[in-house]
Every structure is written in C-alpha cells, then in structure tokens.
Amino acid sequence: MQIGVVLSTILIFLSCFLCDSFQATQEYIRKRIYGIHNGVAFDIYEHAEDLLKNHLSVQQVGEMLVYGSIIDSDEEEIGFFGTMDDSFRQMEQLSFAMGGYPQKENEIAVEYAVLQILDVPYETGKPLTLKLKAEDGNVKEKTYVLSGVLNSYTADWKNDGYHLISGVVCHDCTVDQRNLFFVVNNSDNRQMQELNELIRDKKESWLVYNDYSYPIQNNDYYTLAENGGIVFPVFCIRAVFLICVESLSTENRCIGTEYF
C-alpha cells in the first residue's frame, strides 16, 4: 500500500511537471515567431509615447521608426525601411540567416523575403542598390553594403495594417511612422484597454495587443492544466492505481502470500 502511495504521488508530480514544461515550450515558440512584446502602439505621437513609457505597468519598451518604403522596378511596395533602437533589438531578439544589424550609415540589414523578391544575391559585405520611397513621395536609388539577412518576421507579426520594417538602417530620416513595442506586468484585457485610452488623441495612434504570443482566450488542454483542471483526472488516476494495488495486495494475502 505504501508503495502505491509513493508511486501515485510521483505520477502526479511527473504529470504536472510535463504539462508545465510543454506549456513553457509552446509559449517560447510563440514568442520566437510572433514577438516578445505584449502590444504595440502604432503610429504613436511623441507625447503619448512619453505617457506609455512612464506608465507603472510598462516594464520594457522598444522603438521602431519607419522612414519610407522599398519598391521594386514596377514601383510596387515590397517592404519598408527604418531604424530599430537598441532596446527593441534586445527585447525582440530577431534572428538572422547571416550577418547582423548595420553598424555604419552606409550599411543595411534586409529581410530575406525582400531580397528574394528583388532576386539579388544574399551576400553580406556586398553592395546592394535599393529604390526607396520617402514619406513625401520622392523616390531615389541608394547603394548600401548588406550587413545582414534578417529572417522574415513581418508576415507573422500582428500589425493590423500598420508598417513593420524589412530594411534596417542606421541613419536618421524624416519619420513616417513611429511604433512603440512594450512588455507589461499584466497583459489582460482591462490593462490593454487602459493603455489604449492613455494614448488616444485626435491623431490616429492605436494599440494592437499581441494575442498571437499571448492568447486572450484559450480553452485548450494546456490552459486547462495551468488553471488546475488537470488536478481532477490526475487524482482519478491515483485512485484507480491505489485500488489496483489494494486489490492485488488482498489477492496475494488470500493465497497465503506475505503482506504486499
């Protein structure tokens, strides 16, 4: 009987550990694909940016500035270029197929998908000429040195139609769109609504909650396990196990076997 209790207790702890471990792995994978941020204030104006940065619930922020678009030979937009500050880079940890972020003004890191559309070699350290369209509509060609090939992320991240940059540069230009990515202490609906009201103004800035990485409503097995729903079936398993052990023990005693 004592062996049964020990084994069933081990089973409970092992089941809980495996559920927690699997859930943590799933969350890690989601963050790697869809971003670590809880939300993004797209096209935010500077006063609202200060309000959001200084809010008590906000732990970490990273800024992305969009300068304009990258266009192909048919004048079609195939991506956007701009800068990411150091906080954004540390927070999101975007991955590279090769190379890394630009360190000089004449360098650029470009998303793999854009290079594929342009049909240019993926060779870091080589010159890359791009057609860039600025906020005012002016189009110009500029030659950079390719510092890195960024693994594609813009197609996966939730942006509600706002711009995410595919080409990362160092130099300053006229800002077309200012995006503030942030991590908060508590990312429930109420908190997001409060932050959204905080940044609203006559100018159309908008907060987009990253429910790809942090699902708001998720009734699958792993969420059930997290909320304690796994406890009942585990105890049922334990009860069945103890009944089997007790039954075997009784049967052995009946045929003269020593106490189990």
Side-chain angles (χ1 to χ4, degrees):
M1 185 67 176
Q2 292 178 346
I3 295 176
V5 172
V6 172
L7 290 177
S8 59
T9 302
I10 292 174
L11 175 63
I12 290 175
F13 281 108
L14 181 61
S15 299
C16 293
F17 172 77
L18 290 176
C19 287
D20 288 342
S21 178
F22 192 85
Q23 184 182 10
T25 301
Q26 291 293 92
E27 183 178 346
Y28 172 79
I29 293 173
R30 288 198 307 268
K31 288 180 179 180
R32 293 295 295 176
I33 297 174
Y34 304 119
I36 295 174
H37 58 279
N38 293 101
V40 191
F42 283 105
D43 201 17
I44 191 171
Y45 54 101
E46 292 187 32
H47 175 64
E49 183 175 359
D50 291 336
L51 292 176
L52 191 58
K53 285 180 177 179
N54 294 324
H55 196 274
L56 292 176
S57 69
V58 176
Q59 287 183 319
Q60 191 174 6
V61 296
E63 188 176 59
M64 172 188 291
L65 301 180
V66 183
Y67 296 147
S69 56
I70 303 171
I71 59 177
D72 60 14
S73 56
D74 297 325
E75 307 294 322
E76 296 290 333
E77 290 183 346
I78 57 174
F80 297 88
F81 72 100
T83 60
M84 302 169 176
D85 67 7
D86 291 337
S87 295
F88 177 92
R89 298 180 188 186
Q90 293 170 7
M91 181 171 71
E92 299 295 354
Q93 299 177 6
L94 298 179
S95 61
F96 285 82
M98 61 183 70
Y101 285 110
Q103 303 297 323
K104 302 176 182 178
E105 288 193 2
N106 68 327
E107 293 181 337
I108 187 171
V110 182
E111 198 175 32
Y112 176 84
V114 172
L115 295 175
Q116 197 170 29
I117 293 172
L118 293 174
D119 193 24
V120 296
Y122 316 132
E123 298 182 57
T124 57
K126 299 294 184 180
L128 173 65
T129 301
L130 298 174
K131 293 181 71 174
L132 306 175
K133 186 177 182 180
E135 179 193 11
D136 57 12
N138 289 330
V139 177
K140 65 177 181 180
E141 286 191 357
K142 184 163 183 177
T143 300
Y144 292 94
V145 174
L146 185 63
S147 68
V149 179
L150 189 62
N151 286 323
S152 299
Y153 76 100
T154 56
D156 296 322
W157 285 19
K158 186 172 183 179
N159 61 347
D160 285 14
Y162 290 95
H163 302 158
L164 296 170
I165 61 178
S166 301
V168 186
V169 296
C170 288
H171 64 281
D172 293 329
C173 296
T174 302
V175 177
D176 179 31
Q177 183 178 299
R178 185 185 303 270
N179 304 328
L180 194 70
F181 296 72
F182 60 89
V183 174
V184 295
N185 296 320
N186 184 8
S187 59
D188 59 17
N189 279 334
R190 185 175 179 180
Q191 181 66 75
M192 291 298 109
Q193 290 172 3
E194 179 182 336
L195 292 175
N196 193 43
E197 290 299 322
L198 182 69
I199 67 171
R200 294 295 292 165
D201 197 77
K202 294 179 181 179
K203 187 173 180 181
E204 289 296 321
S205 57
W206 190 257
L207 188 150
V208 175
Y209 176 62
N210 183 15
D211 54 6
Y212 291 169
S213 292
Y214 307 91
I216 297 176
Q217 294 181 344
N218 191 357
N219 297 321
D220 61 15
Y221 172 79
Y222 307 108
T223 302
L224 183 65
E226 181 184 25
N227 294 332
I230 194 65
V231 173
F232 178 72
V234 166
F235 272 100
C236 287
I237 293 173
R238 179 181 179 180
V240 171
F241 187 84
L242 289 175
I243 291 172
C244 292
V245 171
E246 178 64 21
S247 175
L248 179 61
S249 175
T250 302
E251 183 179 345
N252 288 337
R253 289 198 298 271
C254 288
I255 62 176
T257 306
E258 292 184 1
Y259 185 73
F260 184 76

